[in-house]
Amino acid sequence: MNNLKLSSEVWSRLELQADKGDEVLRLCAVDIERSRLFFASSAGFVYAAQLSSPQIEGAWNKGLLPATAQLIDLEDGDSITCLEYIMEKEALIIGTSNGLLLLYSVDDNATEIVGRVEGGVRFIAPSPDGDLLALITGFGQILVMNLDWDLLYEMPLDDLPEDVDVHESALPGDHSSNASISWRGDGKFFASLSMVNDSFPLHKKLKVWERDSGALHSVSESKPFMGSVLDWTQSGAKIALVYDRKEEKQCPSVALFEKNGLERSSFSINEAIDVTLEFLKFNCNSDLLAAVVRGETFDTLKIWYFSNNHWYLKQEIRYLKEDGIKFMWDLTNPLKLMCWTLDGRVISYKFVWVTAVTDNSIAFVVDASKVLVTPFSLSLMPPPMYFLKLEFPSAVRDMAFSSKISQNHLAASLSDGSLCIVELPPLDQWDDLEGQTFKIEASYSGTEYGPMLHLSWLDSQVILGVSHFDEDVHRGYYLHEIEISCSDYRSPGSVTCSGWHAEISHQISLEGVVIGIAPNQLISCSAFVQFDGGKMFEYTSKLGGLQRCDDMAFLSSCPWMDATLVGEKPLLFGLDDNGRLHFERSVLCNNCSSFSFYSNSGEGMMTHLVITTKQDYLFVVDVGDIVHGQLEQKYGNFLPVVVRKKTGENENVFVHLWEKGAQIIGVLHGDESAVILQTPRGNLECVYPRKLVLASIFNALAQGRFRDALLMVRRHRIDFNVIIDHRGWEAFVESAADFVRQVNNLSYITEFICAIKHEDIMETLYKNYVSLPCISGDKSSKTIIDGDKKVYSVLLSIRKALEEQIEETPARELCILTTLAKSSPPVLEDALKRIKVIREMELSTATDPRRKSYPSSEESLKHLLWLSDTEAVFEAALGLYDLSLAAIVALNSQRDPKEFLPLLQELERMPPLLMQYNIDLKLERYESALRHIASAGDSYYEDFISLMKKVPELYPLGLQLIGGDSSKRQQVLEAWGDHLDATKCFEDAATTFLCCFCLDKALKAYRSCGNWMGVLTVAGFMKLGKDDVLQLARELSEELQALGKPGDASKILLEYCGDVDGGVSLLVDARNWEEALRVGFLHRRDDLILVVKNASLECATLLVGEYNEGMEKVGKYLTRYLAVRQRRLLLAAKIKSDELSLGYPDDETASQASSNFSGMSAYTTGTRRGSSASTTLSTSTRGRGRQRNRGKIRAGSADEEAALVDHLKGMSLSEGGKIELKSLLISLLMLGEEDTARKLQRTAEKFQLHQIAAVKLAEDAGSTDNIDEQALTLDHYTQSVRKQVLNSDAFSWQSKVLL
């Protein structure tokens, strides 16, 4: 589905040595290594010239081709008949008519005779590897020799009778190649054409010879082959020859043979009968076949392409008869071809494959003078099939298509120099055109300028194109602006193919090679013109000149160029020969094979760039990512493994193509959201990338086109919830009426209802596809919390819209039942009520006109049962207390009557309230059951109490239902208190017991929860004796000590028991030093003050030791952290430098590897141990002084760094520890131990500074990729932290007098 476009041509002229007309060029050879051309003339000159490059500024007006000429010294009457370049010898091998084989070194200008052949040399063919030479002599012998000029073997070319002497034949006077040899690409075989004895003069045979022995491998049947035209493809699959079919009164045809001599296929060249075909050659890729066709009035260079079992004539270039045109393909570039004429003109052509599909997805495939037209939006068929066909007067060389709102124009430049214009109707009027053929009339014949190239529409009446003028006065290339007009009446809905007039209104001489032209969609009658090297100019019709646009230039020449509009700015994209996609002097992609634009609105405003890569992946790129420079971040240079590394496995930004080499040939814009691909085999595939589909759906929803969005969702199997979640379910609820009205299809609406989910799929399933418009509020936080509300609200709005927008029909009622069944939670009772109404209408004897608008009750019930859990529907029917309806539900749900009949019969025999109570119990509707049993009377009071005990949540409701009955109220409260006490809610239980005056139980509950003040208060209410209270107080003190509350225990001993010794001892255990001193001085007990002093000194000593040990651990943890961090960074740098394009280790692997470099862990060393007494005290103090570290650090683990930082943070002083430390310091000062207090404060301060500095250092090291060992030191950070935090609240525990 591509056309072969002539991208550039370079014209040069070789200055011949002899007088004009006395010397012509006959032969050509090429040195591919040094890019040199060699020509041999009829006068015996050999010319050497450097290959012309189209990258040279002004090459189109280059004039003479610099070349050196050397006359080959030949005998009189001798002439050059063969010329080939031998790469191994770095010299030319020349064959002459007298049989000389000359080795000519161009660099040394030396000629050596390496052999002489009897009868003259007619043809020389080096083998592909350059080791052998195959010659055809004038006597019709095939000679094969090596580069030492040793003859390996010899065989006759033609089948001659035995009595004929081969030496009697001589080289004819016409030195044109009337014999040829063609090697297979691997050099194992070569082929020739041989005359057949005693046959028609034109009949020949194809012979295939073996390289090693010269044995005949295969021979074809006798055929009327034309001349000696023969070529073997580089791939070796086909041998091309030409049939002369004059006897059949038909034009020549090209035949393809296999190595075994059997014909595979053939095709006609579609020319006059008397033409001859010469120089048949395949390109180096074997996909293009070129030939020179010589006619009566002009010669033609034709290029064919094979696809889908059909040969297309893709290019035709005409020359004057006297030019005697010849050509040769470039040996390495399959799309480059060089021609030369007899008078020394050399033309280098460069072709490119361009897509035959236009922006509005109409395919125009060129095949000679025919253009096969297929609109992909109507029919997806590959050529040679077509929707309609356009026939032009001659072969089409270039064309351009313009599509406006109601006009479609096609301009075609033909090989005879004429210009044709066709107007096609809008696509919605093409139905009657299928299968028709339209003959197009020429509108402009400008043979003096030659055929137009790079055609481009500026608007519906102006065309821009480039042509060549080869006269001496005006030689060069010109940019033409052509105005178009039509004199014929244009009938709507028809193809206008005649009556067009074209006139050149303006032309500009060009100073460089034009690579491409793209219209500027922003400015009318304006276009961008690209020259060599990617230089960009803008042409504007009114200004009539070229304005340079450096900001839009490419970094290199881009044969594939296209412009598109984004907002109010035109964007230029170009693809060069190396697969680099260019945009605004930058490269977007280095491995691009094809690209196209997509617009989700279908109005020409690009929204996405679609590209395929050489690795056979298709990427869909948001235009916003291009404009804002986010390609590297999101698409990873368009390598799938990099994309997965950057964005995760769930990022769907590319599609893997199913066949290697598939390329984009077009897209279907708007709601179609399709990308059309063509494989190398020629077949077409239409794919729908999920990203484009979603973009089209979102665009339709943004425009309020709910029906179109729903149809796309159904067609492409997208989750229906995108319609709801696109802008949030709240916005959809407001638009539900429009949704129902537009869709107006109850089947579609029912399918939509059944697909509604609780989750927000824009935050889950389709989170990574597109950038979504934001709505007010935090949408992500409602994904789970509002799930039930979302389903309920959406279905409620749809149900209301159905009732308001859709007339009453059975289908509408079933749809409404669906909304009730799918609600969250399902509103089954409302659904059953609607079914009950239908059933009552059926049982009613009166005629109800609404009866026809509803389905039958049986159908409705079956529909509800199909959508819902049958058990839930049965329970809902029971919940309506309608036993007959419950029986119908049970029967329609295929339940066994033995299961439900006994239950229904038992319920039917009960009084109404008791029946409702039992139904509520079965359905676990306990509040309703409690109300019903309370209404049943005092005889069911025990059931009332039992239900509350079974369901404790009913106690508040039970108290309300009892009312003012105090005895029942006390029973309920006591039962509630017992329940709370059993569930260990002792505070609530005690309060409840107090409400019902159960003081014993209240005392027990307070005691169970450790509320000693509540216990002693209730004891006062109970009027306990003094001894009982004392005994109770001592028991409470012991219990509080066991619970680790020595402060509270000391309070009881001091206030209730009068035990001063025990109270002070407990205050010391509680580390309440100041209070202990106060009590000692209150009672004037010096012995107790000494106890407090000794205990405080011991505690200070232990704390100093702990803080010193803590500083040691901080240093070890920090050292270990820096080592692990340093090794991890080194390993990450090594992995990054060594990583391959398809292998990226994950972060966990790197972490594990880096940690395994380390040796012993810092946490394996033991800690200092003290005496048993100090250990007990230290343990107690440590719990209060520093936050306890939880968990272990596993050396070498992936999370070792984070664990080390957590441990460092966990070593900080807790708030409780600061309070105790401050109290201890004050007590030591009171006791006169100022030195001890100062030592303790300084040690604690040093520890705290070390801990804070270590945490800050670790955080700074974790945020950088470069570890500076000089800057990241603990001492440096400690000094820095001291200045910042020493006077902060963190050090409020310090005593100023000790600083």
Side-chain angles (χ1 to χ4, degrees):
M1 196 61 73
N2 293 321
N3 291 326
L4 190 64
K5 178 181 178 179
L6 180 57
S7 174
S8 63
E9 55 181 323
V10 178
W11 288 69
S12 303
R13 185 180 297 275
L14 192 67
E15 186 176 8
L16 302 182
Q17 299 297 310
D19 295 336
K20 187 174 182 180
D22 295 338
E23 182 183 10
V24 295
L25 297 183
R26 284 184 174 173
L27 304 167
C28 178
V30 62
D31 176 8
I32 192 63
E33 281 190 338
R34 300 170 62 180
S35 299
R36 293 186 297 178
L37 279 175
F38 304 102
F39 295 95
S41 70
S42 59
F45 284 95
V46 172
Y47 298 90
Q50 202 70 23
L51 276 173
S52 178
S53 172
Q55 304 298 329
I56 302 174
E57 183 72 27
W60 285 42
N61 300 318
K62 194 171 183 179
L64 293 177
L65 179 66
T68 60
Q70 178 64 36
L71 179 65
I72 303 300
D73 188 14
L74 300 176
E75 300 175 357
D76 292 340
D78 198 3
S79 61
I80 299 176
T81 58
C82 303
L83 181 71
E84 293 290 343
Y85 183 79
I86 307 298
M87 191 176 300
E88 287 71 11
K89 296 288 186 179
E90 296 186 355
L92 291 170
I93 184 71
I94 300 174
T96 70
S97 57
N98 288 348
L100 292 178
L101 282 177
L102 305 176
L103 190 66
Y104 172 61
S105 175
V106 179
D107 297 333
D108 301 333
N109 194 20
T111 304
E112 176 187 359
I113 300 176
V114 295
R116 181 183 295 272
V117 178
E118 295 182 359
V121 181
R122 296 168 62 183
F123 190 82
I124 296 178
S127 63
D129 57 7
D131 292 340
L132 301 180
L133 289 178
L135 289 74
I136 298 181
T137 69
F139 291 142
Q141 293 292 106
I142 299 177
L143 308 179
V144 178
M145 60 181 64
N146 57 27
L147 295 186
D148 293 329
W149 318 116
D150 298 327
L151 181 64
L152 301 181
Y153 47 83
E154 176 183 3
M155 72 281 282
L157 174 66
D158 303 324
D159 295 335
L160 299 177
E162 296 181 358
D163 55 348
V164 175
D165 186 1
V166 296
H167 299 286
E168 294 180 358
S169 176
L171 191 67
D174 182 11
H175 298 308
S176 62
S177 180
N178 53 7
S180 63
I181 288 175
S182 180
W183 288 86
R184 199 172 77 168
D186 59 1
K188 292 183 178 180
F189 299 91
F190 62 90
S192 65
L193 277 178
S194 303
M195 298 290 295
V196 179
N197 185 34
D198 297 333
S199 67
F200 294 102
L202 296 178
H203 280 213
K204 300 178 182 179
K205 290 183 179 180
L206 170 67
K207 292 184 178 180
V208 177
W209 310 88
E210 296 181 359
R211 168 197 174 114
D212 296 334
S213 62
L216 183 64
H217 178 78
S218 64
V219 61
S220 71
E221 296 180 356
S222 177
K223 298 284 185 179
F225 295 119
M226 178 179 287
S228 59
V229 181
L230 169 71
D231 192 51
W232 205 329
T233 62
Q234 292 295 315
S235 63
K238 295 170 285 189
I239 306 172
L241 304 99
V242 181
Y243 282 148
D244 190 340
R245 305 176 65 184
K246 292 180 181 178
E247 295 179 358
E248 305 174 21
K249 296 183 179 180
Q250 295 183 12
C251 69
S253 62
V254 178
L256 287 307
F257 281 75
E258 297 178 352
K259 183 186 68 173
N260 55 14
L262 299 178
E263 181 179 347
R264 174 182 289 185
S265 61
S266 64
F267 64 93
S268 174
I269 66 172
N270 296 323
E271 289 286 349
I273 299 176
D274 57 348
V275 301
T276 59
L277 193 148
E278 301 179 4
F279 304 106
L280 188 69
K281 294 290 182 182
F282 283 98
N283 67 345
C284 60
N285 276 5
S286 304
D287 58 349
L288 293 178
L289 177 63
V292 173
V293 179
R294 307 211 184 270
E296 293 184 359
T297 58
F298 55 85
D299 294 345
T300 306
L301 174 65
K302 294 179 179 288
I303 301 177
W304 290 276
Y305 173 72
F306 182 77
S307 178
N308 267 7
N309 204 32
H310 179 77
W311 285 91
Y312 300 86
L313 179 61
K314 287 296 185 181
Q315 274 290 339
E316 179 181 289
I317 305 175
R318 293 186 179 182
Y319 303 89
L320 297 177
K321 187 72 177 175
E322 56 269 20
D323 289 342
I325 190 69
K326 298 180 182 180
F327 76 92
M328 66 181 299
W329 286 103
D330 190 284
L331 299 181
T332 57
N333 190 335
L335 295 176
K336 192 172 182 180
L337 179 143
M338 190 194 66
C339 298
W340 70 92
T341 62
L342 295 177
D343 60 356
R345 282 174 295 166
V346 181
I347 312 103
S348 178
Y349 295 105
K350 184 177 181 181
F351 301 94
V352 293
W353 286 109
V354 295
T355 177
V357 184
T358 62
D359 291 339
N360 61 347
S361 305
I362 302 178
F364 294 92
V365 179
V366 174
D367 185 11
S369 62
K370 302 181 293 295
V371 173
L372 312 180
V373 184
T374 302
F376 286 150
S377 58
L378 300 179
S379 176
L380 190 65
M381 60 176 71
M385 297 183 289
Y386 56 86
F387 190 85
L388 62 90
K389 182 169 64 175
L390 305 177
E391 286 193 1
F392 294 86
S394 60
V396 176
R397 288 194 61 186
D398 197 5
M399 62 181 180
F401 182 77
S402 173
S403 175
K404 302 298 181 183
I405 298 176
S406 59
Q407 295 178 326
N408 296 315
H409 290 97
L410 175 69
S413 174
L414 307 185
S415 60
D416 62 358
S418 59
L419 183 67
C420 294
I421 306 296
V422 185
E423 182 177 2
L424 300 170
L427 283 175
D428 55 3
Q429 301 177 15
W430 280 45
D431 293 339
D432 298 334
L433 304 180
E434 187 173 4
Q436 296 189 35
T437 299
F438 298 92
K439 294 187 178 295
I440 313 301
E441 297 181 3
S443 58
Y444 168 75
S445 181
T447 54
E448 58 177 335
Y449 292 101
M452 293 283 181
L453 300 178
H454 304 298
L455 290 178
S456 181
W457 287 90
L458 300 187
D459 64 12
S460 59
Q461 296 180 339
V462 180
I463 298 176
L464 204 62
V466 177
S467 70
H468 175 255
F469 193 67
D470 199 32
E471 295 296 330
D472 292 336
V473 180
H474 302 292
R475 178 177 290 113
Y477 283 76
Y478 293 85
L479 183 68
H480 301 286
E481 181 181 328
I482 305 171
E483 292 187 357
I484 306 297
S485 61
C486 184
S487 59
D488 289 356
Y489 170 73
R490 290 180 278 183
S491 175
S494 63
V495 177
T496 305
C497 48
S498 61
W500 292 94
H501 302 278
E503 182 180 354
I504 295 179
S505 61
H506 186 71
Q507 69 180 26
I508 303 175
S509 176
L510 301 175
E511 297 297 330
V513 179
V514 173
I515 303 299
I517 299 176
N520 185 355
Q521 300 180 21
L522 184 63
I523 304 175
S524 178
C525 293
S526 175
F528 297 103
V529 181
Q530 181 193 173
F531 287 84
D532 280 343
K535 295 184 292 293
M536 198 66 60
F537 291 80
E538 184 177 1
Y539 174 85
T540 305
S541 176
K542 296 180 181 179
L543 300 178
L546 293 173
Q547 302 294 326
R548 187 153 186 159
C549 304
D550 290 335
D551 58 332
M552 304 186 75
F554 301 140
L555 299 179
S556 62
S557 297
C558 296
W560 298 272
M561 180 180 74
D562 204 352
T564 187
L565 195 62
V566 175
E568 296 298 324
K569 180 182 179 181
L571 300 183
L572 268 177
F573 294 84
L575 180 63
D576 63 17
D577 294 325
N578 297 321
R580 297 187 301 171
L581 184 62
H582 296 256
F583 168 71
E584 291 185 351
R585 304 195 65 83
S586 63
V587 177
L588 299 183
C589 176
N590 289 313
N591 59 340
C592 178
S593 60
S594 62
F595 73 96
S596 185
F597 305 128
Y598 169 78
S599 171
N600 60 19
S601 62
E603 298 175 356
M605 191 73 66
M606 184 187 83
T607 57
H608 294 83
L609 172 68
V610 186
I611 70 171
T612 57
T613 65
K614 295 179 181 179
Q615 291 79 21
D616 300 309
Y617 288 93
L618 184 144
F619 285 82
V620 178
V621 183
D622 293 299
V623 65
D625 296 335
I626 300 175
V627 175
H628 299 113
Q630 297 179 340
L631 292 183
E632 178 64 26
Q633 176 185 353
K634 292 188 177 181
Y635 303 93
N637 201 22
F638 301 96
L639 295 174
V641 66
V642 181
V643 173
R644 292 193 183 101
K645 176 70 176 177
K646 288 179 175 290
T647 58
E649 293 291 341
N650 296 326
E651 184 73 20
N652 295 284
V653 296
F654 61 88
V655 177
H656 181 65
L657 300 181
W658 63 97
E659 186 164 342
K660 185 177 181 180
Q663 293 190 350
I664 302 171
I665 61 170
V667 298
L668 299 181
H669 300 278
D671 292 350
E672 293 295 332
S673 58
V675 178
I676 303 170
L677 302 168
Q678 186 171 33
T679 64
R681 294 182 287 113
N683 55 317
L684 300 178
E685 297 289 345
C686 190
V687 298
Y688 300 88
R690 186 58 53 89
K691 193 171 184 178
L692 294 186
V693 171
L694 288 172
S696 300
I697 294 172
F698 298 150
N699 182 65
L701 291 173
Q703 297 174 358
R705 296 186 290 115
F706 289 105
R707 178 176 177 82
D708 295 337
L710 182 66
L711 292 177
M712 285 187 280
V713 166
R714 297 183 75 253
R715 184 187 313 128
H716 298 291
R717 298 182 180 180
I718 303 296
D719 196 309
F720 283 92
N721 287 268
V722 297
I723 299 176
I724 301 172
D725 298 329
H726 168 56
R727 295 181 58 201
W729 62 264
E730 295 92 344
F732 178 82
V733 168
E734 297 176 0
S735 306
D738 291 337
F739 172 80
V740 172
R741 177 178 50 80
Q742 289 185 29
V743 175
N744 197 25
N745 186 312
L746 292 172
S747 297
Y748 291 174
I749 296 176
T750 301
E751 185 180 4
F752 172 77
I753 291 170
C754 294
I756 297 177
K757 298 178 180 177
H758 292 74
E759 64 177 320
D760 183 353
I761 63 165
M762 304 315 300
E763 297 292 339
T764 55
L765 184 60
Y766 299 130
K767 179 180 180 180
N768 297 320
Y769 278 102
V770 289
S771 299
L772 303 175
C774 296
I775 62 173
S776 59
D778 185 7
K779 183 176 161 186
S780 62
S781 63
K782 302 179 182 180
T783 303
I784 300 175
I785 297 176
D786 291 344
D788 289 340
K789 186 177 180 181
K790 166 193 169 182
V791 177
Y792 177 82
S793 301
V794 168
L795 292 181
L796 177 61
S797 62
I798 293 177
R799 184 159 61 250
K800 291 181 178 179
L802 287 171
E803 294 173 347
E804 297 172 0
Q805 302 281 347
I806 307 298
E807 62 178 355
E808 290 184 344
T809 60
R812 189 198 78 162
E813 183 63 22
L814 294 178
C815 191
I816 292 175
L817 290 176
T818 305
T819 64
L820 294 169
K822 289 297 181 179
S823 184
S824 181
V827 194
L828 297 179
E829 291 190 0
D830 289 351
L832 288 172
K833 288 177 182 178
R834 299 181 73 96
I835 296 174
K836 188 175 180 180
V837 171
I838 297 174
R839 183 166 173 270
E840 290 174 353
M841 283 193 295
E842 291 175 345
L843 298 176
S844 176
T845 56
T847 303
D848 193 337
R850 297 186 304 162
R851 178 65 193 91
K852 295 181 180 179
S853 301
Y854 291 89
S856 66
S857 60
E858 183 180 1
E859 181 184 0
S860 302
L861 184 57
K862 287 183 177 180
H863 182 77
L864 183 63
L865 289 170
W866 178 70
L867 293 171
S868 310
D869 179 31
T870 56
E871 185 64 27
V873 178
F874 177 74
E875 292 179 354
L878 280 178
L880 293 175
Y881 311 118
D882 189 336
L883 300 181
S884 59
L885 180 60
I888 295 173
V889 170
L891 288 172
N892 281 276
S893 60
Q894 307 299 321
R895 297 185 65 176
D896 189 351
K898 295 180 180 179
E899 296 180 4
F900 66 87
L901 276 181
L903 173 64
L904 296 180
Q905 290 173 355
E906 181 182 356
L907 291 173
E908 190 177 14
R909 291 192 295 267
M910 294 180 183
L913 288 175
L914 198 58
M915 177 195 72
Q916 294 170 359
Y917 166 73
N918 282 277
I919 290 176
D920 291 335
L921 284 182
K922 178 175 177 59
L923 301 182
E924 297 182 356
R925 300 190 302 190
Y926 296 114
E927 289 189 8
S928 178
L930 190 66
R931 294 180 187 276
H932 287 137
I933 199 63
S935 302
D938 293 339
S939 57
Y940 296 100
Y941 180 71
E942 292 298 329
D943 296 325
F944 177 79
I945 294 295
S946 299
L947 180 57
M948 285 188 293
K949 290 181 178 180
K950 179 180 178 183
V951 185
E953 293 80 4
L954 296 177
Y955 280 113
L957 178 61
L959 290 174
Q960 295 177 15
L961 295 175
I962 289 173
D965 193 332
S966 58
S967 61
K968 292 182 179 179
R969 180 178 178 83
Q970 286 192 4
Q971 293 181 23
V972 172
L973 286 172
E974 186 176 0
W976 193 1
D978 291 338
H979 164 71
L980 293 173
D981 188 76
T983 56
K984 300 187 184 303
C985 299
F986 300 114
E987 289 281 355
D988 293 332
T991 306
T992 305
F993 286 133
L994 288 174
C995 291
C996 62
F997 302 104
C998 295
L999 298 181
D1000 291 336
K1001 292 185 177 181
L1003 182 89
K1004 182 180 179 182
Y1006 275 134
R1007 192 168 183 176
S1008 297
C1009 67
N1011 188 344
W1012 60 274
M1013 289 183 288
V1015 173
L1016 294 173
T1017 301
V1018 174
F1021 276 113
M1022 296 176 64
K1023 309 293 185 180
L1024 293 180
K1026 185 177 181 180
D1027 294 338
D1028 294 334
V1029 171
L1030 182 60
Q1031 179 65 26
L1032 180 62
R1034 290 194 176 278
E1035 292 176 358
L1036 287 174
S1037 176
E1038 293 175 359
E1039 291 174 3
L1040 289 174
Q1041 291 181 56
L1043 292 173
K1045 297 179 180 181
D1048 292 338
S1050 67
K1051 205 168 189 180
I1052 295 175
L1053 290 179
L1054 292 172
E1055 294 180 0
Y1056 286 87
C1057 302
D1059 187 355
V1060 178
D1061 292 342
V1064 171
S1065 177
L1066 289 176
L1067 287 174
V1068 170
D1069 290 342
R1071 303 296 176 262
N1072 197 341
W1073 307 103
E1074 294 174 86
E1075 179 66 13
L1077 286 176
R1078 186 191 68 81
V1079 173
F1081 285 114
L1082 174 65
H1083 294 280
R1084 301 181 182 275
R1085 294 281 301 275
D1086 293 338
D1087 58 331
L1088 294 180
I1089 294 173
L1090 181 61
V1091 170
V1092 174
K1093 180 178 180 179
N1094 293 335
S1096 61
L1097 289 174
E1098 181 183 3
C1099 182
T1101 302
L1102 289 174
L1103 285 178
V1104 169
E1106 283 190 7
Y1107 291 144
N1108 287 326
E1109 182 183 352
M1111 284 187 285
E1112 181 182 351
K1113 286 188 176 181
V1114 166
K1116 287 184 177 181
Y1117 286 149
L1118 185 60
T1119 302
R1120 171 62 179 175
Y1121 174 82
L1122 293 175
V1124 172
R1125 180 66 182 168
Q1126 179 73 14
R1127 291 189 179 97
R1128 188 187 299 277
L1129 291 176
L1130 291 175
L1131 181 61
K1134 185 177 185 300
I1135 292 174
K1136 185 175 181 179
S1137 63
D1138 296 342
E1139 66 189 5
L1140 301 177
S1141 61
L1142 296 179
Y1144 293 85
D1146 54 55
D1147 294 336
E1148 184 175 354
T1149 303
S1151 175
Q1152 292 277 8
S1154 66
S1155 297
N1156 288 335
F1157 275 106
S1158 61
M1160 289 293 290
S1161 170
Y1163 354 100
T1164 58
T1165 60
T1167 57
R1168 181 175 56 84
R1169 296 181 180 271
S1171 64
S1172 59
S1174 63
T1175 301
T1176 304
L1177 181 59
S1178 175
T1179 303
S1180 176
T1181 307
R1182 187 182 299 116
R1184 298 179 177 87
R1186 295 200 304 271
Q1187 297 177 11
R1188 187 178 300 276
N1189 293 326
R1190 295 186 178 181
K1192 294 182 179 180
I1193 306 176
R1194 186 165 60 91
S1197 63
D1199 57 349
E1200 184 180 3
E1201 287 183 36
L1204 285 167
V1205 175
D1206 289 342
H1207 271 67
L1208 287 173
K1209 291 180 179 179
M1211 295 178 69
S1212 64
L1213 286 177
S1214 65
E1215 293 301 321
K1218 294 177 184 178
I1219 294 173
E1220 293 179 2
L1221 180 59
K1222 185 173 184 178
S1223 177
L1224 180 58
L1225 290 172
I1226 293 174
S1227 299
L1228 289 172
L1229 289 174
M1230 290 179 179
L1231 295 170
E1233 299 294 334
E1234 181 179 347
D1235 293 339
T1236 304
R1238 181 174 285 104
K1239 181 179 179 182
L1240 174 62
Q1241 177 168 307
R1242 289 179 178 179
T1243 306
E1245 173 189 315
K1246 189 176 180 180
F1247 165 75
Q1248 189 173 5
L1249 287 173
H1250 273 67
Q1251 187 270 333
I1252 295 175
V1255 171
K1256 182 172 176 54
L1257 191 155
E1259 291 176 347
D1260 290 348
S1263 62
T1264 182
D1265 292 337
N1266 184 20
I1267 302 297
D1268 187 355
E1269 297 181 357
Q1270 300 297 326
L1272 297 177
T1273 62
L1274 185 58
D1275 292 340
H1276 173 73
Y1277 270 78
T1278 301
Q1279 295 299 325
S1280 176
V1281 167
R1282 178 185 294 275
K1283 298 176 182 179
Q1284 297 175 7
V1285 303
L1286 195 57
N1287 296 322
S1288 65
D1289 293 339
F1291 290 83
S1292 60
W1293 54 269
Q1294 289 182 321
S1295 178
K1296 299 294 184 181
V1297 74
L1298 297 176
L1299 293 176

